[in-house]
Amino acid sequence: MPKMKAAIFVEPGRIVLDEKPIPDVGPLDALIRITTTTICGTDIHILKGEYPVARGLTIGHEPVGIIEKLGSAVRGYREGQRVIAGAITPSGHSEACLCGCHSQDGAGTKHGWKPMGGWRFGNTIDGAQAEYLLVPDAMTNLAPVPDGLTDEQVLMCPDILSTGFSGAESGGIRIGDIVAVFAQGPIGLCATAGARLMGASTIIAVESLPERMAIARKMGADYVVDFSKVDPVEEIRRLTDGRGVDVAIEALGKQSTFEAALRVLRPGGTLSSLGVYSADLKIPLDAFLAGLGDHTIRTTLCPGGKERMRRLMATVASGRVDTSPLVTHRFTLDRIEEAYDLFGHQRDGVLKVAITP
Amino acid sequence: MPKMKAAIFVEPGRIVLDEKPIPDVGPLDALIRITTTTICGTDIHILKGEYPVARGLTIGHEPVGIIEKLGSAVRGYREGQRVIAGAITPSGHSEACLCGCHSQDGAGTKHGWKPMGGWRFGNTIDGAQAEYLLVPDAMTNLAPVPDGLTDEQVLMCPDILSTGFSGAESGGIRIGDIVAVFAQGPIGLCATAGARLMGASTIIAVESLPERMAIARKMGADYVVDFSKVDPVEEIRRLTDGRGVDVAIEALGKQSTFEAALRVLRPGGTLSSLGVYSADLKIPLDAFLAGLGDHTIRTTLCPGGKERMRRLMATVASGRVDTSPLVTHRFTLDRIEEAYDLFGHQRDGVLKVAITP
Amino acid sequence: MPKMKAAIFVEPGRIVLDEKPIPDVGPLDALIRITTTTICGTDIHILKGEYPVARGLTIGHEPVGIIEKLGSAVRGYREGQRVIAGAITPSGHSEACLCGCHSQDGAGTKHGWKPMGGWRFGNTIDGAQAEYLLVPDAMTNLAPVPDGLTDEQVLMCPDILSTGFSGAESGGIRIGDIVAVFAQGPIGLCATAGARLMGASTIIAVESLPERMAIARKMGADYVVDFSKVDPVEEIRRLTDGRGVDVAIEALGKQSTFEAALRVLRPGGTLSSLGVYSADLKIPLDAFLAGLGDHTIRTTLCPGGKERMRRLMATVASGRVDTSPLVTHRFTLDRIEEAYDLFGHQRDGVLKVAITP
Amino acid sequence: MPKMKAAIFVEPGRIVLDEKPIPDVGPLDALIRITTTTICGTDIHILKGEYPVARGLTIGHEPVGIIEKLGSAVRGYREGQRVIAGAITPSGHSEACLCGCHSQDGAGTKHGWKPMGGWRFGNTIDGAQAEYLLVPDAMTNLAPVPDGLTDEQVLMCPDILSTGFSGAESGGIRIGDIVAVFAQGPIGLCATAGARLMGASTIIAVESLPERMAIARKMGADYVVDFSKVDPVEEIRRLTDGRGVDVAIEALGKQSTFEAALRVLRPGGTLSSLGVYSADLKIPLDAFLAGLGDHTIRTTLCPGGKERMRRLMATVASGRVDTSPLVTHRFTLDRIEEAYDLFGHQRDGVLKVAITP
């Protein structure tokens, strides 16, 4: 049984590179030889034991690679093709999928809905930080990479770009909107880019790290509020002359940013939340206008599936968004433990690392 | 200066019937001779001092009446016409109105948005519990009552029916949805009727008062869960065989109902909130799926304006909804203090009272 | 090789009952033993040679049956289960499906879109008027029938009810809308029921056959306009007092009904078209307001997939819609040629026939 | 009675500059001293007698100016303020307005809907090609120009930019869409800009005039198809590799462009029509997929009102769209007949002319 290298969750605090068998390919699967992958903030939660996964699981959900082998029932692809798959790999056939809610895919469950059920890589099945990756429901999930795009150019599509854009999309941004984006990590930066792409006329990013503030401007922010120096709620009120924003995007997952996002909304506005929270949230009565403000609060889990990936790559190919500033560091798979160390401690201005087996 | 009787907020704990001058009619106004009005739960909050209004203000926001006098610039109506106006009386010309968000009408403010700015009657201007009512922006707000409908048949349109239906509408109910409605007071009952009208195939109402449980069934509930006997979250899970509901409507304004509504939602579902809250809300991490559940939480303030009123009255006229079971008691305006006492203490199975000057 | 009886298209003018092998079951398929099926207007087009299909094809796309055999990769069902499948059987994994446009499923095509590609039964693969039916992509398409519903109660779900409701849904009907439905054949009747379910306050049906006019009222029509006696455009204008309707549903597929539907729309209204046209359409300049009327014209092909079927059956189970008046005649499969004769000539007040192998 | 100069429709073929009284200001009006205005293609239709207006009417619907006098009931503005008003000036209070359909404003009519009723300037009331303009329902329509924007920078907002963007908006363009825009006159160019602003990843413009082709690229077109050299339907199919476009925008008002737009749509796509047609339209059966293609055809009349104008000017101010290349010629009001001659004959590469009293 041939072996491959893979980054494996051993126990809280330990993700190590080890050997595993190369997986067998079922009729609906595809085996991908990974050429580039990356580490996500969620992987750090897993590393720290804050998000529980099975011991022995291969981590990672952001694959770029080459089709090594197709399942017997898979049609429409050829071995050797360069592809990506989303972080979320829906089946396409559950009730959730048929409602367009692919991220909550409950394939195989009684009612066809499962919380976060579309997220499988590095969560419920082996993930992408390895030499090979088994992609389930390949016909729903494999998206060929357009010629002319490098691995790094599409590396953000499986998760960061899809999630970031969804923050803008779920906000329902319209031409001429005023938008605030709280936090400018990789996802927040992509949310800023998404707000720009959807026609916001004023984008206010909130961040304190100078490198991120600089990239935020490149991604489309008109103003960048340094929350370490000014109160962001007051500053956004000042910038909007007291009006508030049409859409506020939360991209961190903390009470402070959630609450600030609510406080800067005009009545009738939308709070689009991308953050992964780790504690109960409080909705302050005044910020919520006692429930009479015609507010919408919406959470979105990264959209997946091959059509989503195709659209994102087309957008990258058009030059309308450029995620290359996000890849700040590069490692071989052999050195992934170092990469975890750097990324986990957010050293050296790291945004995203590219890992190449 | 001719005088009229009006129910006036004197101080917390005291709303009294007193005399006031009949108001002058500005160019865009209309003066209505009230023929029927009612008391709302919000009026009780005002009475108790929980919602602050100016001393001396006439209370009430649910008018049925006859046009007594039209402002000089008002076109399209005639004196003597029988009309209603919504509890919310938007100007029609603010930025909020032009965005379709009439309830947050900020006419006259810098940016055209004002929290709850569309609610004026019995809040920022004199209200409907009087012999006469001055309706601002009459051309936006006066809706003629179709022949053949009695005052009582349209008495719920200005607030209760508009709010209740909006709970279903903001939930985006589709044919075949499973819907839960928490609390079956007047607004919850109308939300149940709205869910039925929009095609929900299963409606689960939550209530404990037997009279309300009985009316809930009339309004369209398939199941009525008595929360005093069973845990409503568990019971709704049982009734939906573990799936959860597509839309949950909160119609009370308490942490317990808000939280239960969130807990019974399937992933990707919508919590449509109608309640007026009086304390900070908590969103439990698990119920919120850590922000990854593709949830939507939406609050709605009663939609107003003459077109909304026309539609609601047309729906009543069609026989597709019948709000007559909601009017449980009748008083003359002279006895309105008694009516407040009955309604404020929720005695005698009261749902809504009809007040006739 | 075991044989079965099937209604086969031989040549224009001839659909005959003949023998065919019972099909083999691929890994993603399911074999259904048909217990009840029916004939659709589209089948008559096929019979007449107006819609071309391959000679030798089994006709029919409205199956109710029992799972006889499941493909090796199919999970979540058991043999012996009673199920239906929609007339449209999408794969779930094409780009079209992933955009929520399952009826235009282009699985296996270059870009994942194919005009009407979701319609396979009795069009591109063997259909349901047979003893056995092979259902492709079974996990996307098989919907278990709730206990307590008879075959005939769910027989309209695969096509007629799904299509009819979609006419109301694509029209975006809101509570209080005025809706006109042109033609009250089986689909138009279900569109009327759908308009009722979505909260229209006034439904005007247009028809001339007395039996259909009577059923239209049962389905929810407030008015039924007999176009053989009055001009329907003038009559609808009269009934709406000159206003026009918010939504007009076309359920026949002729220039006259399409044009009348456009002419009765208020500015800003929606024409929801269900008809299958057989000639170019003309949009009269005046009816179209020269392109300045903020009109929407929308066509909809029957939505399919198991979740759609589940919702429709839940709606039937709730008692909120009753399609039993549509089944006017019953035949055994052996006598299907007679059934075609009756249905094709619209004799004896036929609406739909039930065929039982 | 003081007089002013105005461009007046005398009879088909003749619009002349003449004198008229400066209008009186009613309570809801505002009088604007025009500083810049322009001529629209619609004005040429009026000139030619193709669109009938009253003899003696002042033409023009694209005003930039200074508030000279406010009506007695107008609040929230001050005399001397620089403002624009949309080509469409809705009342804000009709049923149409309260449905968000301001362009079909039927203020004063029985049901509150009137085809194109929001278009008043230079249509049913005196227009903007004059020294002074009376703006009705001033509080709904006057939008202050942000400091720092010149008259010419906002001159396209009242009509061209609002209409062009609405073509993209009514198309429901999403991030990653492929969009075709037929004709690159002023409105088509703004539609191209709108498609770009909403996140289309591929924009294909169709045009044959070299200057317009060049500006189309500046506005965001990725490809410009010269229909005088290639068949645009074939070329767009080639460019999309056979797939077709998600959204096709028609910006000319001819059968040829309407039909081509329909033919390049993928199934399930949207045809967003902006053109003003002058003859019946034909929908070819095959292009329409016999009514089974899940197509949407939507027409949009220029959105107006002060909030729309505010958003458009904010977008201009953000630098995300630049309409300055559209103003190709400049005239004083005294020479407006020359301007009509140039613009009417489309000489000298004219796109739009700026007229300054």
Side-chain angles (χ1 to χ4, degrees):
Chain A
M1 206 179 203
K3 297 271 188 172
M4 65 174 187
K5 290 180 200 156
I8 292 167
F9 174 75
V10 179
E11 60 184 8
R14 285 187 66 210
I15 288 176
V16 302
L17 192 69
D18 204 344
E19 289 216 324
K20 265 198 173 178
I22 297 176
D24 288 337
V25 180
L28 294 173
D29 302 333
L31 184 71
I32 302 305
R33 179 167 55 78
I34 295 294
T35 54
T36 308
T37 186
T38 178
I39 301 174
C40 180
T42 312
D43 300 335
I44 303 300
H45 285 294
I46 292 172
L47 172 62
K48 293 183 178 170
E50 294 165 359
Y51 183 93
V53 300
R55 296 185 179 209
L57 190 80
T58 304
I59 303 305
H61 49 261
E62 296 162 281
V64 186
I66 307 283
I67 298 178
E68 182 81 12
K69 190 168 164 43
L70 291 167
S72 58
V74 178
R75 302 284 175 272
Y77 299 89
R78 54 179 177 71
E79 288 165 12
Q81 212 170 359
R82 197 156 67 103
V83 294
I84 63 172
I88 302 295
T89 49
S91 67
H93 58 67
S94 67
E95 281 81 354
C97 291
L98 291 164
C99 289
C101 201
H102 293 83
S103 299
Q104 313 295 330
D105 180 24
T109 67
K110 191 170 184 182
H111 293 292
W113 293 88
K114 184 180 166 189
M116 298 169 266
W119 177 30
R120 296 193 268 180
F121 287 148
N123 180 26
T124 58
I125 63 174
D126 276 338
Q129 292 165 11
E131 287 178 293
Y132 293 93
L133 171 71
L134 194 71
V135 178
D137 296 302
M139 288 185 287
T140 312
N141 289 300
L142 289 184
V145 178
D147 292 341
L149 291 183
T150 65
D151 275 22
E152 283 197 8
Q153 280 182 294
V154 300
L155 181 58
M156 298 300 113
C157 294
D159 184 347
I160 299 308
L161 198 63
S162 187
T163 302
F165 279 10
S166 77
E169 293 162 327
S170 292
I173 292 174
R174 299 186 306 129
I175 293 178
D177 269 355
I178 305 175
V179 177
V181 186
F182 287 83
Q184 295 291 297
I187 285 177
L189 287 165
C190 290
T192 296
R196 171 71 186 253
L197 267 176
M198 290 183 76
S201 62
T202 305
I203 301 172
I204 306 168
V206 180
E207 181 51 73
S208 69
L209 297 179
E211 308 84 4
R212 296 182 176 202
M213 293 175 75
I215 301 176
R217 289 184 186 278
K218 280 193 199 168
M219 290 313 220
D222 299 278
Y223 302 96
V224 186
V225 172
D226 182 345
F227 68 86
S228 70
K229 296 191 178 148
V230 292
D231 176 75
V233 173
E234 278 175 29
E235 182 65 7
I236 291 170
R237 285 200 184 135
R238 194 187 65 77
L239 288 168
T240 61
D241 212 7
R243 176 188 183 274
V245 305
D246 298 291
V247 178
I249 302 176
E250 201 284 344
L252 187 64
K254 301 284 181 197
Q255 174 67 30
S256 58
T257 43
F258 177 85
E259 186 171 331
L262 194 60
R263 288 190 183 284
V264 300
L265 272 188
R266 66 155 169 80
T270 297
L271 193 175
S272 176
S273 167
L274 298 175
V276 183
Y277 299 93
S278 49
D280 292 349
L281 279 173
K282 191 183 76 174
I283 304 182
L285 184 66
D286 60 336
F288 202 45
L289 297 175
L292 299 176
D294 287 320
H295 287 128
T296 300
I297 298 174
R298 210 172 211 177
T299 67
T300 315
L301 176 56
C302 178
K306 70 182 173 188
E307 167 65 3
R308 177 71 173 180
M309 294 302 114
R310 183 195 68 75
R311 285 179 166 266
L312 296 176
M313 290 190 288
T315 305
V316 170
S318 75
R320 281 158 167 80
V321 69
D322 175 13
T323 58
S324 63
L326 273 62
V327 181
T328 52
H329 295 75
R330 288 163 189 83
F331 292 85
T332 57
L333 181 60
D334 286 332
R335 294 173 53 214
I336 195 167
E337 295 174 31
E338 268 177 72
Y340 264 99
D341 188 58
L342 174 88
F343 185 74
H345 294 91
Q346 291 287 303
R347 277 202 298 267
D348 195 21
V350 66
L351 276 164
K352 290 287 280 187
V353 300
I355 309 283
T356 47
Chain B
M1 206 177 204
K3 297 271 187 172
M4 66 173 186
K5 289 181 200 156
I8 293 168
F9 174 75
V10 178
E11 61 184 8
R14 287 186 65 209
I15 288 175
V16 302
L17 192 70
D18 205 344
E19 290 216 323
K20 265 199 172 178
I22 295 177
D24 288 337
V25 180
L28 294 172
D29 302 334
L31 184 71
I32 302 305
R33 181 167 55 78
I34 295 293
T35 53
T36 308
T37 186
T38 178
I39 301 174
C40 180
T42 312
D43 300 334
I44 303 300
H45 286 293
I46 291 172
L47 171 63
K48 293 184 179 169
E50 295 166 358
Y51 183 92
V53 300
R55 296 183 179 211
L57 190 81
T58 304
I59 304 307
H61 49 260
E62 294 162 281
V64 185
I66 307 285
I67 298 178
E68 181 81 12
K69 191 168 162 43
L70 292 167
S72 58
V74 177
R75 301 283 173 272
Y77 299 89
R78 54 177 178 71
E79 288 165 11
Q81 212 170 1
R82 197 156 66 103
V83 294
I84 63 171
I88 303 294
T89 49
S91 68
H93 57 67
S94 67
E95 281 81 354
C97 290
L98 291 164
C99 289
C101 201
H102 293 84
S103 298
Q104 313 294 330
D105 179 23
T109 66
K110 192 170 184 183
H111 293 293
W113 293 88
K114 185 181 165 189
M116 297 168 266
W119 176 29
R120 296 193 269 180
F121 287 147
N123 180 24
T124 59
I125 63 174
D126 276 338
Q129 292 164 11
E131 287 178 292
Y132 292 94
L133 170 71
L134 193 71
V135 178
D137 295 303
M139 288 185 288
T140 312
N141 290 300
L142 290 184
V145 178
D147 292 340
L149 291 184
T150 65
D151 275 21
E152 283 197 8
Q153 280 182 295
V154 300
L155 180 60
M156 298 300 113
C157 294
D159 184 347
I160 299 309
L161 197 64
S162 186
T163 302
F165 279 10
S166 78
E169 293 163 326
S170 292
I173 293 174
R174 299 185 307 128
I175 294 179
D177 270 355
I178 305 175
V179 176
V181 185
F182 287 82
Q184 294 292 295
I187 285 177
L189 287 165
C190 290
T192 296
R196 172 70 187 253
L197 267 176
M198 290 183 76
S201 61
T202 306
I203 301 172
I204 307 168
V206 180
E207 180 52 73
S208 70
L209 298 179
E211 308 84 3
R212 296 183 176 203
M213 294 175 75
I215 301 178
R217 289 184 187 277
K218 281 194 199 166
M219 290 312 222
D222 300 278
Y223 302 96
V224 185
V225 172
D226 182 344
F227 68 86
S228 71
K229 295 191 178 148
V230 292
D231 176 77
V233 172
E234 278 175 31
E235 182 65 6
I236 291 170
R237 284 201 185 133
R238 194 187 65 78
L239 287 169
T240 62
D241 212 6
R243 176 189 183 272
V245 305
D246 299 291
V247 178
I249 302 176
E250 201 286 344
L252 186 64
K254 300 284 181 198
Q255 174 67 32
S256 57
T257 43
F258 177 85
E259 186 171 331
L262 194 60
R263 289 190 182 284
V264 300
L265 272 188
R266 65 155 169 79
T270 297
L271 192 175
S272 176
S273 167
L274 297 175
V276 183
Y277 299 91
S278 50
D280 293 349
L281 279 173
K282 191 182 77 175
I283 303 183
L285 184 66
D286 62 335
F288 202 45
L289 297 175
L292 300 175
D294 288 319
H295 287 127
T296 300
I297 299 174
R298 211 173 211 178
T299 66
T300 314
L301 175 56
C302 178
K306 70 181 173 189
E307 166 66 2
R308 176 70 173 181
M309 293 303 113
R310 183 195 68 75
R311 285 180 167 266
L312 296 176
M313 290 189 289
T315 306
V316 170
S318 76
R320 282 158 166 81
V321 69
D322 174 13
T323 57
S324 63
L326 273 64
V327 181
T328 52
H329 295 74
R330 288 162 191 84
F331 293 86
T332 58
L333 181 59
D334 286 333
R335 294 172 54 214
I336 194 167
E337 295 175 32
E338 268 178 71
Y340 264 98
D341 187 57
L342 174 89
F343 187 73
H345 293 91
Q346 292 286 303
R347 277 201 298 266
D348 195 20
V350 66
L351 276 165
K352 291 286 280 187
V353 299
I355 309 285
T356 47
Chain C
M1 206 177 204
K3 298 270 187 174
M4 65 174 186
K5 290 183 200 154
I8 292 167
F9 174 75
V10 178
E11 60 186 8
R14 286 187 64 211
I15 289 175
V16 303
L17 192 71
D18 205 345
E19 289 217 323
K20 267 198 170 177
I22 295 176
D24 287 338
V25 180
L28 295 172
D29 302 333
L31 184 71
I32 302 305
R33 179 166 55 79
I34 295 293
T35 52
T36 309
T37 186
T38 178
I39 301 175
C40 180
T42 311
D43 300 336
I44 302 300
H45 287 293
I46 291 172
L47 172 63
K48 294 183 178 170
E50 295 166 358
Y51 183 93
V53 301
R55 294 180 182 215
L57 189 80
T58 303
I59 304 306
H61 49 260
E62 296 161 279
V64 186
I66 306 285
I67 297 176
E68 181 80 14
K69 190 168 162 47
L70 291 166
S72 58
V74 178
R75 301 283 174 274
Y77 299 89
R78 54 179 177 72
E79 289 165 10
Q81 213 170 0
R82 197 156 67 105
V83 293
I84 63 171
I88 303 295
T89 49
S91 68
H93 57 66
S94 68
E95 280 81 354
C97 290
L98 292 166
C99 289
C101 201
H102 293 84
S103 298
Q104 312 295 330
D105 179 24
T109 67
K110 192 170 182 180
H111 293 293
W113 292 88
K114 184 181 166 190
M116 297 168 267
W119 177 29
R120 297 193 268 179
F121 286 147
N123 180 25
T124 59
I125 64 174
D126 276 338
Q129 293 165 11
E131 288 178 293
Y132 293 93
L133 170 72
L134 194 70
V135 179
D137 296 303
M139 288 185 288
T140 312
N141 290 300
L142 290 184
V145 178
D147 292 341
L149 291 183
T150 65
D151 275 22
E152 283 198 8
Q153 280 182 294
V154 300
L155 181 58
M156 299 300 115
C157 294
D159 185 345
I160 299 309
L161 198 64
S162 187
T163 302
F165 279 9
S166 78
E169 293 162 326
S170 292
I173 292 174
R174 300 185 306 128
I175 293 179
D177 269 354
I178 306 175
V179 177
V181 186
F182 287 83
Q184 295 292 296
I187 285 176
L189 287 165
C190 290
T192 297
R196 172 71 188 253
L197 267 176
M198 290 183 75
S201 61
T202 305
I203 301 172
I204 307 168
V206 180
E207 181 52 75
S208 69
L209 298 180
E211 308 84 3
R212 295 183 177 202
M213 293 175 75
I215 300 178
R217 288 182 188 281
K218 279 193 201 167
M219 290 311 219
D222 299 278
Y223 302 96
V224 186
V225 171
D226 182 345
F227 68 86
S228 71
K229 296 192 178 146
V230 292
D231 177 76
V233 173
E234 278 175 29
E235 182 66 6
I236 291 170
R237 285 200 185 134
R238 194 187 65 76
L239 287 168
T240 62
D241 212 6
R243 177 188 182 273
V245 305
D246 298 291
V247 178
I249 302 176
E250 202 284 343
L252 187 64
K254 301 285 182 198
Q255 174 67 31
S256 57
T257 42
F258 177 84
E259 186 171 330
L262 195 59
R263 288 190 184 284
V264 301
L265 271 189
R266 66 156 169 78
T270 297
L271 193 175
S272 176
S273 167
L274 297 175
V276 184
Y277 299 92
S278 49
D280 294 348
L281 278 175
K282 191 182 77 173
I283 304 182
L285 184 66
D286 60 336
F288 202 44
L289 297 176
L292 299 176
D294 288 320
H295 287 127
T296 300
I297 299 174
R298 209 171 215 178
T299 66
T300 314
L301 176 56
C302 178
K306 70 181 172 188
E307 167 65 4
R308 176 71 173 178
M309 294 302 113
R310 183 195 67 75
R311 284 179 167 267
L312 296 176
M313 290 190 289
T315 306
V316 170
S318 75
R320 281 157 168 81
V321 69
D322 174 13
T323 58
S324 63
L326 273 63
V327 181
T328 52
H329 295 74
R330 289 162 190 83
F331 293 86
T332 58
L333 181 60
D334 286 331
R335 294 172 55 211
I336 194 166
E337 296 174 31
E338 266 178 73
Y340 263 98
D341 188 57
L342 173 89
F343 186 75
H345 294 90
Q346 290 288 302
R347 276 202 299 268
D348 195 21
V350 67
L351 276 165
K352 291 287 281 185
V353 301
I355 308 285
T356 46
Chain D
M1 206 179 203
K3 298 271 187 171
M4 66 174 187
K5 290 181 198 154
I8 293 167
F9 175 74
V10 178
E11 60 184 9
R14 287 186 63 211
I15 288 176
V16 302
L17 192 70
D18 204 345
E19 290 216 322
K20 266 199 172 177
I22 296 176
D24 288 337
V25 180
L28 293 173
D29 302 332
L31 184 71
I32 302 305
R33 180 167 55 79
I34 295 294
T35 53
T36 308
T37 186
T38 179
I39 302 174
C40 179
T42 312
D43 299 335
I44 302 301
H45 286 294
I46 291 172
L47 172 62
K48 293 182 178 171
E50 294 165 359
Y51 183 92
V53 300
R55 297 184 179 208
L57 189 80
T58 303
I59 303 307
H61 49 259
E62 296 162 280
V64 186
I66 307 285
I67 298 177
E68 182 80 13
K69 190 169 162 46
L70 291 167
S72 58
V74 178
R75 301 283 174 272
Y77 299 90
R78 56 179 174 71
E79 289 165 11
Q81 213 170 0
R82 197 155 68 102
V83 293
I84 62 172
I88 302 294
T89 49
S91 67
H93 58 66
S94 67
E95 280 81 354
C97 290
L98 292 165
C99 288
C101 201
H102 293 84
S103 298
Q104 313 294 330
D105 179 23
T109 66
K110 193 169 181 182
H111 292 294
W113 293 88
K114 185 181 166 189
M116 297 167 267
W119 176 29
R120 297 193 268 180
F121 286 148
N123 181 24
T124 58
I125 63 173
D126 277 338
Q129 292 165 11
E131 289 178 292
Y132 293 92
L133 171 71
L134 194 71
V135 178
D137 295 304
M139 288 185 288
T140 313
N141 290 299
L142 290 183
V145 178
D147 293 339
L149 291 183
T150 66
D151 274 22
E152 282 197 8
Q153 280 182 295
V154 300
L155 181 58
M156 298 301 113
C157 295
D159 185 346
I160 300 308
L161 198 63
S162 187
T163 302
F165 279 9
S166 78
E169 293 162 326
S170 292
I173 292 174
R174 299 185 305 128
I175 293 179
D177 269 354
I178 305 175
V179 177
V181 186
F182 287 83
Q184 293 293 296
I187 285 176
L189 288 165
C190 289
T192 297
R196 171 71 187 253
L197 267 176
M198 290 183 74
S201 61
T202 304
I203 300 171
I204 307 169
V206 179
E207 181 52 73
S208 68
L209 298 180
E211 309 83 2
R212 295 182 177 202
M213 294 174 75
I215 300 177
R217 288 183 188 279
K218 279 193 199 168
M219 292 312 223
D222 299 278
Y223 303 95
V224 186
V225 172
D226 183 344
F227 67 87
S228 69
K229 295 190 177 146
V230 292
D231 177 77
V233 173
E234 278 175 29
E235 181 66 6
I236 291 170
R237 285 200 184 133
R238 194 187 64 77
L239 287 169
T240 61
D241 213 6
R243 177 188 183 275
V245 306
D246 298 289
V247 178
I249 302 176
E250 202 284 345
L252 186 64
K254 301 284 180 199
Q255 174 68 31
S256 57
T257 42
F258 177 84
E259 186 171 330
L262 194 60
R263 287 190 184 285
V264 300
L265 272 189
R266 65 157 169 77
T270 298
L271 193 175
S272 176
S273 167
L274 298 175
V276 184
Y277 299 92
S278 49
D280 292 349
L281 280 173
K282 191 183 77 174
I283 304 183
L285 184 66
D286 61 335
F288 202 45
L289 298 175
L292 299 175
D294 287 319
H295 287 127
T296 300
I297 299 174
R298 209 171 213 181
T299 67
T300 314
L301 176 56
C302 178
K306 70 182 173 187
E307 167 66 3
R308 177 69 173 180
M309 294 303 113
R310 183 194 67 75
R311 285 180 167 265
L312 295 176
M313 291 190 288
T315 306
V316 170
S318 75
R320 282 157 167 81
V321 69
D322 175 13
T323 58
S324 62
L326 273 63
V327 181
T328 53
H329 295 74
R330 286 161 191 86
F331 292 86
T332 58
L333 181 60
D334 286 332
R335 295 172 55 212
I336 195 167
E337 295 174 32
E338 269 177 70
Y340 263 98
D341 188 59
L342 173 89
F343 186 73
H345 294 90
Q346 291 286 307
R347 277 202 299 266
D348 194 21
V350 65
L351 275 164
K352 290 287 280 185
V353 300
I355 309 284
T356 47

